[in-house]
Amino acid sequence: MNVCLKAAVPEDKETLDAYWTDEKRYPFLILVDGKLAGFALVNCYPIVDTEADYTIAEFFVMRKYRKRGVGRQAAFQLFGRFPGKWQLKYYLENRASSVFWNRIVGEYTGRAYERLQGSLKEAGADAARTVVLLFECGEARNG
């Protein structure tokens, strides 16, 4: 199975205008053997008030490609493409997301990451159910 992270182009999705005009936003399509399997949106806008170079705004893998290592490979490719300090957010009630991101970030960083819960000021009442992972990525690693 060949998982490829393809930089998206404006023709791929009209409704994501900011990702085509803002130099601090990076859209990607996740392809498996040349077929669309998901997408990832990365930007340079921190989620919490700590230093960050990159944030995963959205990350989606189609159900039929889950549990096959596609998300892992795509995440590893993103982290390798953008070395630096990262932040990503998920909600506690999204059990699959919680398990996935803690496992993937832990594996990529050798468990060298920080987990913040309830630290989003703008989340208001949702802050208690929000988790942000802070971590740093160096050179590209094989996924």
Side-chain angles (χ1 to χ4, degrees):
M1 172 174 58
N2 178 24
V3 177
C4 173
L5 192 65
K6 174 192 174 280
V9 294
E11 294 79 27
D12 289 323
K13 188 71 174 158
E14 294 176 19
T15 59
L16 299 173
D17 290 340
Y19 277 88
W20 316 125
T21 58
D22 185 341
E23 293 178 0
K24 293 184 175 187
R25 296 178 191 266
Y26 309 95
F28 294 94
L29 299 177
I30 300 170
L31 305 176
V32 174
D33 298 327
K35 295 181 180 163
L36 183 63
F39 66 89
L41 302 178
V42 174
N43 66 50
C44 299
Y45 300 105
I47 300 165
V48 294
D49 289 336
T50 61
E51 187 180 342
D53 300 307
Y54 304 102
T55 296
I56 293 183
E58 300 290 339
F59 189 91
F60 173 77
V61 175
M62 293 168 58
R63 189 171 308 278
K64 72 180 189 175
Y65 293 105
R66 294 179 189 169
K67 307 280 188 199
R68 296 174 50 189
V70 172
R72 178 184 179 275
Q73 288 185 52
F76 274 37
Q77 288 179 36
L78 282 175
F79 301 155
R81 185 175 285 214
F82 299 104
K85 294 182 180 183
W86 281 79
Q87 296 182 1
L88 69 85
K89 172 181 77 171
Y90 63 83
Y91 293 99
L92 285 172
E93 66 267 14
N94 186 339
R95 182 78 177 128
S97 181
S98 175
V99 169
F100 175 79
W101 284 119
N102 282 281
R103 182 174 48 84
I104 295 302
V105 171
E107 182 180 342
Y108 194 89
T109 65
R111 302 257 174 255
Y113 68 95
E114 185 176 355
R115 183 180 182 275
L116 304 177
Q117 184 175 344
S119 57
L120 283 174
K121 288 179 261 179
E122 68 274 8
D126 290 338
R129 60 189 193 92
T130 304
V131 174
V132 177
L133 301 182
L134 309 175
F135 57 100
E136 193 161 345
C137 296
E139 295 182 16
R141 292 185 42 197
N142 291 330

